[in-house]
């Protein structure tokens, strides 16, 4: 089957789905024809323009790909790889009624393992690792530190915070230095959406007897929503396709939906700051933005009320399905399972540390300092550097530069001493306000080495803005008050304890 990988370019029969010819900025250059190592190091941007020839109404016989047909599985499987697919569809009962839905709401889950490995797409990555174990291959998976610890195991290489922008893809940094013999990039592999076009979509249609009014799916690499949506557009043209994109990502359309100062989100596996090659946004009828708090709340609700261990798109499905009437059907794809997130949104402690649960929800005796304000601490102001932008009053903190992050980037060869500071910005830091309680800070410091103490101010153009900010333009501006660590909190508590005695 043709694949959107550099090796496919050598064939004479060109695949219209290939984008391998786009070797612009961010690509590793080809070596001499006989340089095998250079070919293996070839890396192509994951947001290269797609050359896919799919069009609605075009016969499948015109496709350059080999299409699979659903077959009935034998009663005794020859190996676990033959169990891919046949995902059951389950009706959602209590949640639909709770939110007043008139339509039928169903979920289809565990789709991630159908596709090939993608750096930073860990559901397919785990699936490929299992397949490699069966086949006897060595499998190396690269992922950012944001991912849950359950996903870390043998052959997994943490690469620090998720980089911004496709040219510095986390897997790109590994290609020149690690002996990878096959790099399967899900962002631009034609087999990614093709697997969902041939199997996932067909299973959904079979289980629904062809009756489907709405499909809700989140977008990561875009393979699932692209493949399923294309098949549904062909066989069920009245079905409305709803895309889910987290706040802080830029996959949604129109572009106005993506305008947000938020750049970091906790939900995993969906959303990016570039448009993957395989994502076809033309087949999505409407996009909804999701936020972490709602996504995690609904995922926990699915467990408590429906017994389903999955889900990050259910919150959007409930919103989108409000427009459907009795007798209509909405199917939401809930990939993955909570096995990968036991230490995250299933943990009450983690939910409190991230601010998704409140202290009032738990009746636990707190220490005397728990409700004191952060402003009680003695903190020294950090060195701040203003950016040279057209906006004289920058509204947000772009990032931090830490010695550890700078040193690791230099040693890995990602940057040179003469490069701009922005290339080593650390953006995964937590923020806390002066008025927040020390209890909240304590939760943050249990997982992070430090927190950035910020203060928000209203920035106004006085020439046209009155004292009450009712006229002209005004915006919030963040200023850095200090950096607080566990040592600062410990010294404060210890000093106060001595004074109390």
């Amino acid at each position: 089957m043709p694949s959107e990988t550099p090796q496919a370019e050598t064939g004479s029969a060109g695949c219209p789905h290939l984008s391998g010819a786009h070797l612009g900025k961010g690509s590793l250059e080809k070596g001499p024809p006989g340089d095998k190592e250079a070919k293996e190091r070839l890396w192509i941007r994951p947001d290269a323009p797609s050359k896919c020839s799919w069009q609605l109404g075009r016969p499948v016989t015109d496709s350059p790909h080999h299409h699979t047909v659903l077959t009935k599985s034998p009663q005794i499987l020859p190996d676990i790889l033959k169990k891919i697919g046949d995902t059951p569809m389950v009706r959602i009962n209590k949640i639909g009624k709770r939110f007043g839905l008139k339509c039928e709401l169903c979920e289809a889950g565990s789709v991630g393992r159908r596709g090939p490995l993608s750096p930073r797409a860990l559901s397919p990555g785990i699936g490929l690792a299992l397949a490699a174990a069966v086949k006897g291959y060595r499998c190396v998976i690269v992922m950012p530190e944001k991912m849950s610890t359950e996903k870390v195991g043998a052959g997994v290489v943490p690469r620090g915070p998720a980089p911004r922008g496709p040219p510095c893809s986390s897997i790109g940094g590994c290609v020149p230095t690690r002996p990878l013999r096959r790099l399967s990039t899900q962002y631009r592999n034609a087999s990614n959406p093709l697997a969902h076009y041939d199997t996932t979509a067909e299973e959904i249609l079979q289980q629904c007897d062809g009756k489907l009014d709405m499909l809700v799916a989140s977008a990561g690499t875009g393979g699932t929503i692209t493949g399923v949506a294309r098949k549904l557009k062909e066989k069920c043209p009245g079905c409305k396709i709803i895309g889910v994109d987290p706040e802080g990502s830029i996959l949604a359309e129109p572009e106005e939906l993506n305008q947000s100062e938020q750049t970091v989100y906790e939900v995993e596996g969906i959303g990016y700051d570039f448009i993957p090659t395989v994502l076809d946004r033309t087949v999505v009828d409407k996009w909804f933005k999701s936020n972490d708090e709602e996504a995690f709340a609904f995922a926990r609700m699915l467990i408590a009320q429906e017994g389903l261990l999955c889900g990050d798109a259910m919150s959007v499905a409930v919103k989108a399905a409000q427009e459907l009437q009795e007798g209509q059907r909405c199917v939401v794809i809930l990939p993955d399972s909570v096995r990968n997130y036991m230490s995250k949104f299933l943990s009450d402690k983690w939910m409190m540390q991230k601010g998704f649960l409140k202290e009032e929800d738990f009746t636990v005796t707190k220490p005397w300092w728990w409700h004191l304000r952060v402003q009680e601490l003695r903190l020294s102001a950090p060195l701040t550097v203003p950016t040279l932008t057209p906006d004289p009053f920058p509204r947000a903190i772009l990032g931090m530069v830490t010695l550890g992050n700078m040193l690791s980037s230099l040693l890995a060869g990602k940057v040179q001493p003469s490069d701009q500071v922005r290339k080593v910005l650390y953006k995964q830091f937590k923020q806390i306000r002066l008025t927040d309680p020390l209890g909240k800070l304590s939760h943050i410091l249990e997982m992070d080495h430090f927190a950035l103490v910020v203060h928000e101010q209203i920035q106004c153009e006085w020439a046209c803005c009155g004292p009450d900010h009712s006229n002209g333009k005004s915006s919030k501006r963040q200023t850095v008050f200090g950096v607080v660590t566990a040592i600062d909190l410990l010294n404060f508590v210890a000093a106060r304890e001595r004074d109390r005695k």
Side-chain angles (χ1 to χ4, degrees), residues 258-432:
N258 302 320
Q259 294 179 358
S260 171
E261 294 182 359
Q262 180 176 343
T263 57
V264 178
Y265 44 90
E266 295 294 339
V267 66
E268 297 182 17
I270 63 173
Y272 285 103
D273 60 347
F274 65 95
I275 310 300
T277 299
V278 300
L279 175 58
D280 183 3
R281 296 189 291 179
T282 65
V283 294
V284 179
D285 296 304
K286 188 175 182 179
W287 288 89
F288 281 80
K289 301 296 282 190
S290 67
N291 62 68
D292 289 334
E293 185 172 2
E294 289 185 349
F296 294 144
F298 270 84
R300 290 164 67 100
M301 196 184 304
L302 274 172
I303 299 172
Q305 300 185 17
E306 305 285 350
L308 295 173
L309 308 180
C310 55
D312 57 31
M314 182 56 70
S315 60
V316 169
V318 170
K319 294 178 183 178
Q322 295 286 345
E323 66 182 62
L324 298 182
Q325 302 300 316
E326 187 175 353
Q328 293 187 296
R329 176 180 290 146
C330 173
V331 172
V332 54
I333 295 179
L334 302 176
D336 214 343
S337 71
V338 296
R339 178 205 65 188
N340 294 332
Y341 311 104
M342 300 295 289
S343 63
K344 298 194 75 174
F345 70 82
L346 285 191
S347 167
D348 291 341
K349 184 176 181 180
W350 184 89
M351 291 287 284
M352 284 193 296
Q353 288 170 340
K354 298 297 181 179
F356 302 131
L357 287 180
K358 299 179 180 179
E359 291 289 342
E360 302 82 67
D361 299 332
F362 303 90
T363 56
V364 180
T365 303
K366 302 299 181 184
W368 59 265
W369 51 266
W370 194 262
H371 298 290
L372 295 180
R373 308 282 184 176
V374 173
Q375 61 193 17
E376 298 277 347
L377 302 177
R378 293 183 178 180
L379 302 175
S380 57
L383 174 65
T384 58
V385 180
T387 56
L388 299 177
T389 63
D391 185 359
F393 305 108
R395 293 177 294 175
I397 300 166
L398 298 181
M400 292 189 64
V401 178
T402 66
L403 179 61
N405 196 39
M406 189 186 308
L407 183 61
S408 63
S409 298
L410 284 169
L411 294 178
K414 293 181 180 179
V415 296
Q416 300 299 323
S418 58
D419 288 339
Q420 296 180 353
V421 174
R422 63 180 177 84
K423 290 189 176 182
V424 291
L425 284 181
Y426 183 79
K427 299 185 178 183
Q428 298 292 99
F429 58 86
K430 300 297 184 296
Q431 297 183 16
I432 194 166

Side-chain angles (χ1 to χ4, degrees), residues 157-280:
V157 184
R159 294 294 295 177
R164 303 289 290 176
C168 56
S169 170
S170 55
I171 191 66
C174 295
V175 174
T177 58
R178 294 193 175 271
L180 296 179
R181 292 298 177 261
R182 178 66 175 176
L183 173 61
S184 178
T185 167
Q186 193 176 354
Y187 302 120
R188 51 185 310 278
N189 193 328
S191 297
N192 180 3
L194 190 63
H196 300 289
Y197 179 90
D198 286 341
T199 60
T200 311
E202 288 292 348
E203 288 180 12
I204 291 174
L205 287 168
Q206 286 184 11
Q207 292 164 333
C208 292
D209 294 325
K211 183 182 182 301
L212 185 61
D213 300 287
M214 178 180 288
L215 179 115
V216 180
S218 52
T221 62
T224 300
I225 193 169
T226 297
V228 173
R230 285 176 172 178
K231 178 59 68 75
L232 293 183
K233 291 292 183 183
E234 294 174 350
K235 293 194 172 184
C236 196
C239 180
K240 191 172 184 178
I241 307 298
I242 303 295
V244 182
D245 189 40
E247 294 177 356
S249 170
I250 66 165
L251 302 185
E253 289 184 316
E255 180 58 33
E256 290 75 24
L257 289 176
N258 302 320
Q259 294 179 358
S260 171
E261 294 182 359
Q262 180 176 343
T263 57
V264 178
Y265 44 90
E266 295 294 339
V267 66
E268 297 182 17
I270 63 173
Y272 285 103
D273 60 347
F274 65 95
I275 310 300
T277 299
V278 300
L279 175 58
D280 183 3

Side-chain angles (χ1 to χ4, degrees), residues 1-4 13-18 51-55 58-68 190-191 194 197-198 230:
M1 180 183 298
S3 171
E4 295 195 4
C15 170
H17 293 246
L18 295 180
K51 289 189 174 182
C52 180
S53 60
W54 178 89
Q55 292 180 353
R58 188 175 182 178
V60 70
T61 53
D62 290 348
S63 171
H65 299 293
H66 168 72
H67 289 268
T68 60
S191 297
L194 190 63
Y197 179 90
D198 286 341
R230 285 176 172 178

